[in-house]
Amino acid sequence: MTTETRLRIAMQKSGRLSDDTQNLFKRCGLNLNVSDRRLLAHVANMPIDVMRVRSSDIPGLVMDGVCDLGIVGDNTLEETALERELMGQKSQYIRTSALNFGGCRLSIAMPESFNYQGIKSLDGLRFATTYPQLLNRYAKANGINVEFCLLKGSVEVAPRVGLSDGICDLVSTGATLEANGLVEVEEIFKSKASLIQTSTPLCTEKQSILDTLLPRIQGVMKAKESKYIMLHAPKDKIAQVSALMPGKETPTILPLAGRDDLVAVHVVATETFFWETMEQLNALGCNSILVMPIEKMMG
Ligand code: PRT
């Protein structure tokens, strides 16, 4: 296959999304060697090339059709789309699949000493941020005006050094804000990683590679969120046991050799299986309760 017919995917070269993205590719069966310094890494067992770049370059590469697909945080994606719209550049893309990693929120945070009295108390203030477009959109939607100073890193130190009144930055655990004496006052955008696709239709060859890859990606996502549950249950308690199982799957009931009073119950749970549920099952007389991760799923 020529370069023109190999599917090209952009991923973050190094940073918070790169390990999860590499892991996703691996679990989808892509044999990718990214240990070298090359910009373009070839997948050995499928006609796919992976372009390893900065996260902030990914939306533009996909919107301009340089890459067919990209894996990027919704925060970067939305900020780039707004910026490009403003500059009259191409900003269209297709969100092909939401991914279940890279979760965070973009929030406004103020020094602990600030007397926060609702969104209006932020009117006319100055914020350090990497996301001026998202901040501006939120401010406008809430009827306030804000100023910003653009920082690409160490945003959280800006109020302390007198650069800004507050910040607008990504938060996941909140530890960075706390360490810098800042308090989250407004969540303005929720983000996760997404698989995005160029809005230009793909050629037949590339579309067929994507048609193979996409169910695998979705299978990996589904498997990550699901658990396989196995247990032994008293035969006369099957209805109560089934009612306690998380998710909508019907359990498989199997006989147990030499036991007329017990059956084996197997189910794929697509929702969280809590310790409390295990304790309730135990109280019903169930034993050998196993909760196991699922490697792959299809159909
Ligand atoms: O590749 P490039 O350098 O262009 O991008 P980048 O600087 O955004 O890279 P990186 O690796 O920092 O982040 C990549 C993507 O990871 C982001 O665009 C988000 O989609 C996602 N992500 C998820 C995060 C966080 N969680 C996160 N917590 N990105 C950054 N942070 C930072 C935040 O800016 C702050 O400094 O972590 C700190 C806060 O973390 P907590 O846990 O203390 O709240």
Side-chain angles (χ1 to χ4, degrees):
M1 256 188 181
T2 64
T3 323
E4 289 75 47
T5 51
R6 289 175 71 89
L7 196 70
R8 187 179 288 172
I9 311 177
M11 68 168 274
Q12 190 189 29
K13 185 172 182 173
S14 68
R16 286 171 188 263
L17 300 182
S18 56
D19 283 354
D20 282 324
T21 305
Q22 267 182 60
N23 194 27
L24 172 66
F25 288 156
K26 195 172 160 196
R27 293 186 69 188
C28 285
L30 271 57
N31 187 351
L32 178 70
N33 180 6
V34 293
S35 58
D36 56 28
R37 288 173 171 271
R38 275 183 306 175
L39 172 72
L40 210 59
H42 300 288
V43 174
N45 57 342
M46 279 178 91
I48 297 175
D49 292 333
V50 174
M51 195 183 251
R52 297 160 65 227
V53 292
R54 292 195 69 152
S55 222
S56 44
D57 290 333
I58 296 175
L61 287 168
V62 174
M63 288 166 187
D64 289 337
V66 176
C67 292
D68 306 302
L69 297 165
I71 291 180
V72 67
D74 293 335
N75 51 307
T76 311
L77 186 57
E78 193 70 2
E79 179 69 20
T80 311
L82 290 171
E83 195 180 281
R84 285 185 150 232
E85 266 168 39
L86 204 70
M87 297 196 310
Q89 293 174 337
K90 205 172 170 214
S91 60
Q92 289 81 13
Y93 64 91
I94 301 164
R95 183 181 275 103
T96 310
S97 181
L99 304 172
N100 52 5
F101 58 83
C104 59
R105 54 195 187 271
L106 183 65
S107 289
I108 296 177
M110 300 303 291
E112 281 159 357
S113 56
F114 183 78
N115 180 21
Y116 183 69
Q117 300 283 335
I119 183 86
K120 298 285 181 219
S121 52
L122 303 179
D123 195 22
L125 299 186
R126 184 176 164 84
F127 295 88
T129 189
T130 316
Y131 301 93
Q133 305 303 334
L134 285 169
L135 172 61
N136 203 28
R137 183 173 72 180
Y138 188 80
K140 274 196 178 143
N142 284 282
I144 59 166
N145 285 309
V146 293
E147 285 179 34
F148 65 85
C149 68
L150 189 63
L151 285 185
K152 295 281 182 191
S154 306
V155 174
E156 56 284 343
V157 301
R160 216 176 335 133
V161 297
L163 211 55
S164 66
D165 300 297
I167 69 164
C168 175
D169 197 16
L170 298 174
V171 183
S172 43
T173 62
T176 306
L177 292 184
E178 203 183 327
N180 287 281
L182 297 165
V183 179
E184 198 173 348
V185 294
E186 292 283 328
E187 176 183 305
I188 75 168
F189 189 79
K190 256 200 176 326
S191 180
K192 270 192 174 183
S194 286
L195 174 73
I196 56 162
Q197 185 184 336
T198 173
S199 57
T200 313
L202 299 176
C203 66
T204 321
E205 290 90 345
K206 287 185 180 185
Q207 187 59 52
S208 124
I209 308 163
L210 181 58
D211 290 344
T212 305
L213 183 62
L214 202 54
R216 292 192 189 183
I217 290 180
Q218 280 153 357
V220 170
M221 293 295 123
K222 216 167 140 193
K224 202 171 157 189
E225 287 157 9
S226 305
K227 295 278 179 283
Y228 195 80
I229 301 166
M230 292 167 71
L231 53 91
H232 292 169
K235 217 173 185 171
D236 58 350
K237 298 276 169 52
I238 292 177
Q240 289 111 300
V241 169
S242 300
L244 281 173
M245 291 300 179
K248 294 173 192 69
E249 294 268 338
T250 316
T252 305
I253 313 287
L254 300 162
L256 276 174
R259 296 293 297 259
D260 284 339
D261 54 334
L262 286 177
V263 286
V265 179
H266 292 198
V267 72
V268 173
T270 48
E271 292 165 16
T272 313
F273 193 63
F274 295 106
W275 278 106
E276 287 77 3
T277 313
M278 289 179 85
E279 285 153 8
Q280 284 171 291
L281 289 165
N282 211 227
L284 280 173
C286 298
N287 58 45
S288 305
I289 308 171
L290 301 179
V291 181
M292 291 170 291
I294 297 172
E295 174 73 19
K296 294 184 179 75
M297 277 175 95
M298 193 168 273

